[in-house]
Amino acid sequence: MADRSLRGMRLGAQSLQSEEGVVFSPRTTYTYRCATCGRDTEMVFSAEAEAPEIWECKFCSREATLMVGSEPMTVDRADAKTPRSHWDMLLERRTRAELEELLEERLTYLRARRGTQKIGA
C-alpha cells in the first residue's frame, strides 16, 4: 500500500464541466456613439433585451447615444426631472424671512452657550 499513492486534482485547477450540449442565448450587438469624443462603443445584449438609449462611453465616460443605422437616436428627455437641492426643498416649507429669524435665534443660543453674547444686541 505504501508503494501506491492516491492521485487527485488540485482544487479549482480544472473544471469537470464541458460546453457540450450548451445552447447560448441569441445576442445582438448595439453601437453607441459619443458626441464628446466621437468614438463608438459596442455593447452586446441578449436579443430579448431592450437596449437602453444612452450608455456610458468607455473612452471618456460621457454620454453615448444608441445608433440606429448610421444616425444617432434622438433621446426624449421630457420625463427627466430636474434634481432639487436641499435649499429648494427648504424654500418650499419656509420663507426667507422665517429662515433669517431661525438663523438669528440659533446664533444667539450658540453665542450664549460660549459666553460670547453681544451686550445690547
Side-chain angles (χ1 to χ4, degrees):
M1 184 85 158
D3 58 336
R4 291 189 309 161
S5 64
L6 296 175
R7 295 185 182 234
M9 293 180 58
R10 291 177 287 175
L11 290 177
Q14 296 175 348
S15 173
L16 298 176
Q17 292 181 324
S18 68
E19 293 185 7
E20 187 178 312
V22 175
V23 179
F24 295 105
S25 64
R27 308 284 175 167
T28 305
T29 302
Y30 292 98
T31 304
Y32 293 87
R33 178 160 297 149
C34 179
T36 306
C37 68
R39 295 170 134 179
D40 290 345
T41 301
E42 291 191 352
M43 297 302 301
V44 179
F45 294 100
S46 169
E48 299 170 359
E50 185 176 326
E53 296 174 344
I54 298 169
W55 196 263
E56 183 179 306
C57 176
K58 66 180 179 180
F59 301 102
C60 69
S61 299
R62 300 283 173 102
E63 209 171 73
T65 310
L66 178 64
M67 297 295 289
V68 178
S70 62
E71 295 294 317
M73 176 183 248
T74 55
V75 179
D76 181 23
R77 298 185 189 273
D79 297 342
K81 288 184 175 180
T82 55
R84 293 186 320 176
S85 68
H86 177 71
W87 179 248
D88 294 333
M89 291 184 270
L90 187 61
L91 287 176
E92 290 174 5
R93 297 189 307 268
R94 308 238 186 212
T95 63
R96 286 188 77 95
E98 288 174 323
L99 292 172
E100 289 289 335
E101 183 181 335
L102 287 170
L103 176 63
E104 193 56 44
E105 285 176 16
R106 190 67 185 163
L107 287 174
T108 303
Y109 170 74
L110 290 173
R111 287 179 185 136
R113 276 186 51 201
R114 287 188 186 163
T116 57
Q117 177 67 32
K118 291 181 183 176
I119 299 174

